[in-house]
Amino acid sequence: MDHEIAWTHGPTPGGPCAGPEDVLRLLRGAVRAEPGGRLEILVAECGMCGSGEVEFEVAKGECFCVGCCIPLGISDGYAHPDAPYPWRLEPSGVPLPPASPGPGYEPSDFPRCPAGHDVFHVALALAFAADGALRGISVGLRCPEDAALCLYVDNARVVARAA
Ligand SMILES: [Zn+2]
Ligand SMILES: [Zn+2]
C-alpha cells in the first residue's frame, strides 16, 4: 500500500528549468529555518560516484545511489558531516511516512512517481538551530524521466541517539 505522497509536476522535461533546480525550489518553498537558525538546501550527491545528476532508489525513508547502492544516510545520520551521528528521525507535525510508520501502517518501500518510475534525483533541506545543531531534515524527490516532484520527508526532527 502506498502512502499518500503528493506529487506535483515540475516544468516540462527538457525545458529551461528542468533539472535538480526544480526540487531545490520545491524544498525552498516547503521548509523554513527556525528563528535564528539557517537552512542548507542541496542536491544529494554520492561520495563514491561524485556529483552531477546522481540518481537514487528510495526505500523505507532511505535513498540509495543507483550507481553503487551506498545510502545517503537520511535515516541514520550519515547525510551531513556536522550532524550528530547516529541519529534517528521523529515526525514533526506531519508524520514521516516510511521511516516511522504509525500503528498498523504499511510503509511504502519503494515510492514511485505517478508514471511508475522509481529512480529519483534527491535534494535535502537541512535545518540548523541558532546553536548550529541540526534540527530537521526534509527530502525532495524528482523523477528524471518526467520531472514529477514530491516532498518525501517533510521536516522530520533529528534526534541524536546513542551509538
Ligand atoms: Zn554512488
Ligand atoms: Zn516519472
Side-chain angles (χ1 to χ4, degrees):
M1 177 189 123
D2 263 347
H3 189 81
E4 308 287 324
I5 296 177
W7 289 89
T8 56
H9 278 276
T12 315
C17 297
E21 274 300 305
D22 298 348
V23 72
L24 294 179
R25 213 167 9 247
L26 172 81
L27 288 176
R28 282 190 199 109
V31 186
R32 308 225 173 288
E34 52 182 90
R38 67 186 172 88
L39 272 183
E40 211 174 285
I41 298 182
L42 56 143
V43 174
E45 299 178 349
C46 172
M48 296 290 290
C49 303
S51 57
E53 300 199 359
V54 182
E55 295 177 0
F56 294 86
E57 284 178 359
V58 182
K60 295 186 175 179
E62 188 55 84
C63 301
F64 299 86
C65 173
V66 169
C68 65
C69 295
I70 290 182
L72 273 180
I74 290 163
S75 58
D76 66 2
Y78 192 61
H80 196 278
D82 295 339
Y85 177 85
W87 73 41
R88 63 195 164 82
L89 298 180
E90 292 194 343
S92 70
V94 181
L96 177 67
S100 57
Y105 171 72
E106 296 261 317
S108 165
D109 282 359
F110 299 100
R112 289 169 184 273
C113 88
H117 306 119
D118 58 3
V119 171
F120 305 99
H121 293 147
V122 173
L124 306 174
L126 303 161
F128 294 88
D131 64 2
L134 180 62
R135 296 296 273 279
I137 185 167
S138 300
V139 179
L141 306 181
R142 173 186 185 269
C143 174
E145 300 288 328
D146 51 37
L149 298 170
C150 84
L151 187 60
Y152 181 57
V153 174
D154 185 358
N155 196 25
R157 214 147 49 85
V158 170
V159 180
R161 72 177 154 86

